[in-house]
Amino acid sequence: MTAQGKAHRDASYGLLTAIAGEAGVSLSTVSKVVHRRRDVGAATRARVEELLSRYGYVRPGERDPAMPQQIVAVFRDLSGPYTLEVVRGIVAAADELGIDVVTGTTGHRSISQWLQESVALGAAGLIIVISMLSEEDQRRIVEQRLPVVLIDPLSAPSHDIPSIGVTNWSGARDAVQHLVALGHTRIGMAAGRAHSLAGAARLHGYRAALEEAGIAYDPAIVRSTDFDFEEGLIASLQILGAENPPTAVFAASDAQALGVLEAARQHGLSVPGDLAVMSFDDTLVAAMACPPLSAVRQPFEELGHEATRVLLHLAEGRPPASPRIELATELVLRTSTSVPRGAHTAPGHGASDPQGKDVRTDSYVEPRDMGGDKVLGVSGGSTTNGVQVR
Amino acid sequence: MTAQGKAHRDASYGLLTAIAGEAGVSLSTVSKVVHRRRDVGAATRARVEELLSRYGYVRPGERDPAMPQQIVAVFRDLSGPYTLEVVRGIVAAADELGIDVVTGTTGHRSISQWLQESVALGAAGLIIVISMLSEEDQRRIVEQRLPVVLIDPLSAPSHDIPSIGVTNWSGARDAVQHLVALGHTRIGMAAGRAHSLAGAARLHGYRAALEEAGIAYDPAIVRSTDFDFEEGLIASLQILGAENPPTAVFAASDAQALGVLEAARQHGLSVPGDLAVMSFDDTLVAAMACPPLSAVRQPFEELGHEATRVLLHLAEGRPPASPRIELATELVLRTSTSVPRGAHTAPGHGASDPQGKDVRTDSYVEPRDMGGDKVLGVSGGSTTNGVQVR
DNA sequence: CTGAAAGCGCTTACAG
DNA sequence: CTGAAAGCGCTTACAG
């Protein structure tokens, strides 16, 4: 009396009848095996199950194994050079397993609509990239029991929802340590959104590096703004206009770093001669900027790859290895950072080698040829709450 | 005796029985309506159909209207800044209609596998972006009867498969006419793959503009290569090393144009002072290059949008308006093009205004702020085989 | 643990 | 054009 008419039967007529004949049991018994009744002997059940799967019988309501499996990946928008890299990572990981990826944005449809959609599709799970989740969204996600993984959520998510990001704090710390090692003692920051997880972590990494170097934190040369170009420009104009301006600025994103470059231009400062600029992200534009930007590289493609792996792990009913995974960043040195004007030797604070002399400061860096970039350090390793992964 | 057990029935038990009661007919009659037998009176049929849809009855084998509709979009790979724009166009157009987009690459799965996958998903259709289709692929596409639309196919496809691209020929012609109007008479070309549709069209647009200006075509300053940076660089080194080198080079892609810039650097030529460089594509990197590149802009996002519209049009069973649609390109002027050194007045060939004086040659162009770019001309209009669209 | 028997929802050949 | 009747594939309450 339950779900028998609600069928998604696969084939033919007397399929169960035929199986009953072949198994040498009655149709009743086959029917009980199909409905997973317990009043069937183990040997009989095994024999019938074997025949059922041999004949490709699909239980009513059960997912047809011939039906392609899917996952859904939604983005705040599909702009920004990092987006494509994340998509590529997700699609590559899914493709290897023959799983389809439905790609969408939260522009036309809300997160809870996407959640419904994913369920309607019978998707294995949902990846939500760089979005703000309301309490309501989080509640629904937990209620739906659909596997969900967040990439770089803007706010700290419930611990019931696994999230993946990068080592923002230590990546920022490495970057600023490098500037310190080059001899800079006056370092500003075009910081990101103070209320975003990543923005706060990068700011604190910056502060940690200063503190370790015995440099006082000066709010006059730090501004927290949105991660974009315009805000980065406005913030940088203020920072460079400070009474005691910095010789180096660390930007919390590539877009903001482009704002720093523009502000330097407006102030008549040459980069890196008068001002060293360090960025965070290392998307395509970092290598393309004039001059090419040194930057903390986020492994965007790997973020997508890892998110997919975690999602499919959850979809198999296994618990998440960790509610939070952070992938390592890398410090990539290009021409925008050098020793401060007038400094003849880098003091070498020891945190990381200065190496300013090895950084190419005059040649053009073609973005498709990263061979010339110098990768100085890898932050944090792949960690799950501090534990090494793989 | 045909496909009745192969059900995807939707609900409950006496649904048809209940409808029979409500319609005041026998169950037999309802059954006949469901199976579209012809021996049912029109009035009776209408009454029963009405009740069937009111109760949300889904015919066996018929697509459940509650099931989300999908389209599939496959790319050769998900790299290159244009890819994201095309994806964005497709997703935006689909999102408006509540349709999901499955995104994949032809890296792990062949085109014919994607064709099968699309059918298995019950997708409304398949968009294939910038790929080489074998004869076999084309045959299968036509056989499958699944709606398929090609974006920028590398080879001329069968006329049975609609394709969408841009006005490569007239876009290239406009670009070269502009260089001519600036006063250049010695113009080289880092041309694209000679055997690709787009590459051939761009080369012929270049030749047409030269011919119209009465300038002889000189193969010594033209090289056809792959659309990438390395090939563009090698070709440009040869072109700039010619006995009588050009004062301007037209590149068939942004990546090749970056190769031209690098070759100019290696030859000690300043851009645009010693060499004007014109590009084709106008992806993110064109505006980011040093100096920012003048370029023929391809409407990538619009390509995705239009492809989706055509696909859904086909999916409704309507014939394609045209087997081939070409969207207009735009000429975007930045700092990489100016009058040739020594030329004091532009001769003004009249094809397009020189306007070299209005082009910013010294200020930094922020890619997110295209307001400063100068759009000179729009090529071709939106055409379907020359006929205006929309 | 198994199956004969009754029953359910639906389909169809056939009589009118 | 309609429906009574036979039948099909499957399920389940029940007897053993």
Side-chain angles (χ1 to χ4, degrees):
Chain A
M1 288 271 175
T2 51
Q4 79 198 25
K6 201 173 185 175
H8 180 92
R9 261 173 276 144
D10 192 74
S12 57
Y13 287 71
L15 216 197
L16 296 193
T17 310
I19 287 174
E22 191 159 344
V25 296
S26 73
L27 178 57
S28 311
T29 303
V30 172
S31 185
K32 283 183 220 178
V33 172
V34 166
H35 291 83
R36 302 193 209 280
R37 294 274 139 76
R38 266 169 313 182
D39 56 345
V40 180
T44 310
R45 156 166 282 124
R47 193 149 28 98
V48 173
E49 281 287 10
E50 212 282 310
L51 284 163
L52 284 171
S53 73
R54 171 128 50 94
Y55 283 98
Y57 178 81
V58 179
R59 287 180 164 81
E62 195 167 78
R63 171 153 284 276
D64 184 340
M67 188 65 181
Q69 185 62 288
Q70 302 192 313
I71 61 176
V72 179
V74 297
F75 297 77
R76 205 158 39 131
D77 51 39
L78 286 166
S79 60
Y82 61 82
T83 309
L84 185 63
E85 294 187 49
V86 175
V87 172
R88 186 163 56 228
I90 294 172
V91 168
D95 247 6
E96 277 172 24
L97 301 163
I99 291 171
D100 292 336
V101 179
V102 173
T103 308
T105 69
T106 49
H108 276 83
R109 301 194 241 178
S110 66
I111 286 178
S112 73
Q113 281 177 309
W114 276 112
L115 201 59
Q116 271 189 274
E117 185 79 1
S118 303
V119 172
L121 284 172
L126 171 64
I127 296 174
I128 301 173
V129 185
I130 319 182
S131 286
M132 195 71 181
L133 292 181
S134 67
E135 292 289 327
E136 176 72 8
D137 288 332
Q138 297 192 34
R139 200 178 51 68
R140 287 198 186 162
I141 288 170
V142 174
E143 270 175 9
Q144 277 287 4
R145 298 172 173 283
L146 180 81
V148 171
V149 173
L150 311 178
I151 291 180
D152 242 354
L154 292 181
S155 55
S158 149
H159 263 235
D160 299 327
I161 311 172
S163 72
I164 301 183
V166 304
T167 54
N168 288 298
W169 183 85
S170 57
R173 182 165 155 272
D174 286 355
V176 177
Q177 280 179 340
H178 178 72
L179 293 171
V180 168
L182 287 174
H184 294 277
T185 54
R186 187 75 186 150
I187 303 170
M189 180 165 183
R193 283 167 67 168
H195 295 296
S196 83
L197 268 185
R202 291 173 203 170
L203 178 57
H204 282 92
Y206 158 83
R207 295 189 62 165
L210 291 188
E211 199 165 288
E212 284 161 22
I215 300 172
Y217 171 71
D218 181 358
I221 53 173
V222 174
R223 288 285 180 287
S224 287
T225 69
D226 223 335
F227 287 106
D228 64 23
F229 171 77
E230 287 76 14
E231 300 259 347
L233 172 57
I234 294 167
S236 305
L237 288 172
Q238 293 172 350
I239 291 169
L240 297 180
E243 228 165 290
N244 182 8
T247 61
V249 172
F250 174 43
S253 74
D254 281 345
Q256 286 171 291
L258 294 176
V260 179
L261 291 182
E262 177 59 19
R265 213 167 272 113
Q266 293 185 17
H267 272 265
L269 300 173
S270 81
V271 176
D274 301 319
L275 184 73
V277 179
M278 174 70 78
S279 184
F280 201 108
D281 277 350
D282 195 37
T283 59
L284 188 63
V285 303
M288 294 292 309
C290 313
L293 292 164
S294 294
V296 178
R297 162 172 272 278
Q298 292 207 57
F300 294 108
E301 186 165 350
E302 186 58 25
L303 278 175
H305 205 98
E306 187 65 25
T308 306
R309 278 207 300 257
V310 171
L311 190 71
L312 294 172
H313 180 97
L314 293 175
E316 286 172 7
R318 292 185 281 166
S322 159
R324 169 79 184 168
I325 292 177
E326 298 201 337
L327 302 181
T329 56
E330 273 180 8
L331 188 57
V332 178
L333 299 183
R334 298 200 183 82
T335 36
S336 69
T337 49
S338 71
V339 297
R341 179 146 291 179
H344 283 214
T345 54
H349 269 266
S352 56
D353 288 346
Q355 309 238 18
K357 59 191 179 300
D358 291 345
V359 177
R360 298 190 290 164
T361 53
D362 50 5
S363 76
Y364 175 80
V365 177
E366 156 55 28
R368 251 142 285 210
D369 174 18
M370 294 293 184
D373 302 337
K374 188 164 180 53
V375 174
L376 196 69
V378 173
S379 287
S382 257
T383 66
T384 63
N385 283 349
V387 181
Q388 201 77 17
V389 157
R390 302 194 315 136
Chain B
M1 286 273 176
T2 51
Q4 79 199 26
K6 200 172 185 175
H8 180 90
R9 260 173 276 146
D10 191 74
S12 57
Y13 287 73
L15 217 197
L16 295 193
T17 310
I19 287 174
E22 192 160 341
V25 297
S26 73
L27 177 58
S28 309
T29 303
V30 172
S31 185
K32 281 183 217 176
V33 171
V34 166
H35 290 82
R36 304 192 208 280
R37 294 273 140 75
R38 267 170 310 181
D39 55 347
V40 181
T44 310
R45 156 167 282 126
R47 194 149 27 99
V48 173
E49 281 287 9
E50 212 283 309
L51 285 163
L52 285 171
S53 73
R54 171 129 49 95
Y55 283 98
Y57 178 81
V58 178
R59 286 182 166 80
E62 195 166 79
R63 169 151 286 274
D64 184 341
M67 188 65 181
Q69 186 62 289
Q70 303 192 314
I71 61 175
V72 179
V74 298
F75 297 77
R76 205 158 40 131
D77 52 38
L78 286 165
S79 59
Y82 62 82
T83 309
L84 185 62
E85 295 187 49
V86 175
V87 172
R88 186 163 57 229
I90 294 172
V91 168
D95 247 6
E96 278 171 25
L97 301 164
I99 291 171
D100 293 336
V101 180
V102 172
T103 308
T105 69
T106 48
H108 277 83
R109 302 193 240 178
S110 68
I111 285 178
S112 73
Q113 281 177 309
W114 276 112
L115 201 59
Q116 271 190 274
E117 185 79 0
S118 303
V119 172
L121 285 173
L126 172 63
I127 296 175
I128 301 173
V129 185
I130 320 181
S131 286
M132 195 69 183
L133 292 181
S134 66
E135 290 290 326
E136 175 74 6
D137 288 332
Q138 298 193 33
R139 200 178 50 69
R140 287 197 186 164
I141 288 170
V142 175
E143 270 176 11
Q144 276 288 5
R145 299 170 171 283
L146 180 80
V148 171
V149 173
L150 310 179
I151 291 180
D152 240 353
L154 292 181
S155 54
S158 149
H159 263 236
D160 300 326
I161 311 172
S163 71
I164 300 183
V166 303
T167 54
N168 287 299
W169 183 83
S170 57
R173 182 164 155 273
D174 286 354
V176 177
Q177 280 179 339
H178 177 72
L179 293 171
V180 168
L182 286 175
H184 293 278
T185 53
R186 187 76 185 150
I187 303 170
M189 181 166 184
R193 282 166 67 170
H195 295 296
S196 83
L197 270 185
R202 291 172 203 169
L203 178 57
H204 282 91
Y206 158 83
R207 295 189 62 165
L210 291 188
E211 199 164 288
E212 283 160 24
I215 300 171
Y217 171 72
D218 181 359
I221 53 172
V222 174
R223 288 285 180 284
S224 287
T225 69
D226 224 333
F227 288 105
D228 65 22
F229 171 78
E230 287 76 14
E231 300 259 346
L233 171 57
I234 294 167
S236 306
L237 288 171
Q238 293 172 348
I239 291 169
L240 296 179
E243 226 163 289
N244 181 8
T247 61
V249 173
F250 174 43
S253 73
D254 281 345
Q256 286 172 291
L258 294 176
V260 179
L261 291 182
E262 176 60 19
R265 211 168 272 112
Q266 292 185 19
H267 272 265
L269 300 172
S270 81
V271 176
D274 301 318
L275 185 73
V277 179
M278 174 69 80
S279 185
F280 201 109
D281 278 349
D282 195 36
T283 60
L284 188 64
V285 304
M288 295 291 309
C290 311
L293 290 164
S294 295
V296 177
R297 163 172 272 278
Q298 292 207 57
F300 293 109
E301 186 164 350
E302 186 59 24
L303 278 174
H305 205 98
E306 188 65 23
T308 306
R309 278 207 301 258
V310 171
L311 190 71
L312 294 172
H313 180 97
L314 293 176
E316 285 171 7
R318 292 186 281 167
S322 160
R324 169 79 184 168
I325 292 177
E326 299 201 337
L327 302 182
T329 55
E330 274 179 7
L331 189 57
V332 178
L333 299 184
R334 298 202 184 81
T335 36
S336 69
T337 49
S338 70
V339 297
R341 181 148 287 180
H344 284 214
T345 54
H349 269 266
S352 53
D353 288 347
Q355 309 239 18
K357 58 190 181 303
D358 291 345
V359 177
R360 299 190 289 165
T361 53
D362 50 4
S363 76
Y364 175 79
V365 178
E366 156 55 28
R368 251 142 285 208
D369 174 17
M370 295 293 184
D373 301 338
K374 187 162 181 55
V375 174
L376 197 68
V378 173
S379 288
S382 256
T383 65
T384 63
N385 282 351
V387 181
Q388 202 78 14
V389 156
R390 301 193 309 140

